[in-house]
Amino acid sequence: MAAAATGRGIGFIRNLSGLFHSRLSGVVGGPQQLSCLHTSTPLETKNWERNNLIVYPPQLADEPRRPAEIYHSRRQIKYSKDKMWYLAKMIQGMSIDGAIAQLEFNDKKGAKIMREVLLEAQEKAVKNHNVEYKSNLYVAESYTGKGRYLKRLRIHGRGMFGIMDRVYCHYFVKLVEGSPPKTEEKMSFDQAKDYVQTLKNRTIIHSL
């Protein structure tokens, strides 16, 4: 009886493996896809670094010099995108030296990673983008993105378990040659006046 049950189990496994092999060969040979296979775009083929390959037409003699733009990123960082977001927005609009100095005295894990990315982008600017002075850069764009999360089991008592995520994130930065643009600082009273004016200018449907 036990031998018959064992034979049935082996036959079932063989049939299951044959079915999966036939579906997999159909995916490789034809246009149909198997839903259980991961077919998304790999991380290496994203478009952020492709902006470095843009070739602009030659400038005229009387035109101002076009500033260099450097796009750099680091992907699949073992860190939360929400924690990284605060650091990314803190350095946006700063000069490259000021941003590196701020991150150097920050004791968070994401600050150390972000500082390494800025140093890599600074080195790339001098080596590949014809930037004469490495300090003549500022952080034009700085933001984070969600990476691939890994599902893991969290063991509970009484034979139960839960699902937890091992979080990852991406970090993107854009450096532009030149001095950072000056932002107009408004007092709190001016900000309140602008807010009240936006409320007055809005359109309320079906109102008198």
Side-chain angles (χ1 to χ4, degrees), residues 20 23 67 104 124 176 191:
F20 180 76
R23 290 190 178 183
E104 187 176 1
K124 182 187 292 186
V176 177
Q191 294 179 1

Side-chain angles (χ1 to χ4, degrees), residues 5-197:
T6 306
R8 291 179 182 176
I10 295 174
F12 176 74
I13 293 175
R14 287 178 179 176
N15 294 335
L16 188 62
S17 61
L19 179 62
F20 180 76
H21 179 72
S22 63
R23 290 190 178 183
L24 186 60
S25 61
V27 170
V28 175
Q32 67 180 38
Q33 291 186 351
L34 190 63
S35 60
C36 63
L37 296 180
H38 185 74
T39 58
S40 64
T41 307
L43 295 176
E44 290 78 10
T45 60
K46 298 298 182 181
N47 297 326
W48 184 252
E49 284 82 1
R50 290 183 185 176
N51 295 318
N52 292 322
L53 305 178
I54 297 176
V55 179
Y56 295 97
Q59 292 183 287
L60 299 177
D62 55 347
E63 286 185 350
R65 183 177 179 273
R66 182 184 295 111
E69 296 180 351
I70 299 92
Y71 295 83
H72 194 55
S73 67
R74 181 175 292 187
R75 304 176 189 276
Q76 287 301 97
I77 302 170
K78 186 66 179 70
Y79 201 62
S80 171
K81 65 179 180 61
D82 299 323
K83 295 179 182 178
M84 186 77 89
W85 181 85
Y86 290 101
L87 298 171
K89 294 306 172 184
M90 179 186 72
I91 66 172
Q92 185 169 342
M94 291 185 178
S95 64
I96 184 68
D97 292 337
I100 292 175
Q102 289 291 332
L103 296 173
E104 187 176 1
F105 291 101
N106 197 311
D107 58 350
K108 293 185 177 181
K109 173 185 173 182
K112 180 180 178 181
I113 299 172
M114 200 174 294
R115 180 174 176 271
E116 293 176 357
V117 177
L118 289 181
L119 291 175
E120 292 174 1
Q122 190 180 32
E123 183 181 358
K124 182 187 292 186
V126 177
K127 185 179 297 184
N128 301 334
H129 294 269
N130 198 25
V131 175
E132 185 175 2
Y133 302 105
K134 66 177 185 179
S135 298
N136 190 25
L137 295 166
Y138 72 94
V139 182
E141 296 182 22
S142 174
Y143 62 93
T144 63
K146 181 179 177 180
R148 288 182 182 171
Y149 283 18
L150 301 179
K151 300 289 185 179
R152 292 294 181 264
L153 293 179
R154 184 184 295 275
I155 306 301
H156 299 300
R158 298 177 180 270
M160 293 181 287
F161 64 91
I163 303 296
M164 64 178 181
D165 291 330
R166 304 192 74 171
V167 299
Y168 291 86
C169 71
H170 309 319
Y171 175 62
F172 305 92
V173 65
K174 173 187 175 183
L175 301 182
V176 177
E177 186 179 10
S179 303
K182 294 182 180 179
T183 57
E184 182 182 357
E185 295 184 2
K186 293 184 178 181
M187 303 299 291
S188 58
F189 182 73
D190 296 332
Q191 294 179 1
K193 284 177 61 178
D194 294 342
Y195 176 68
V196 172
Q197 189 63 36

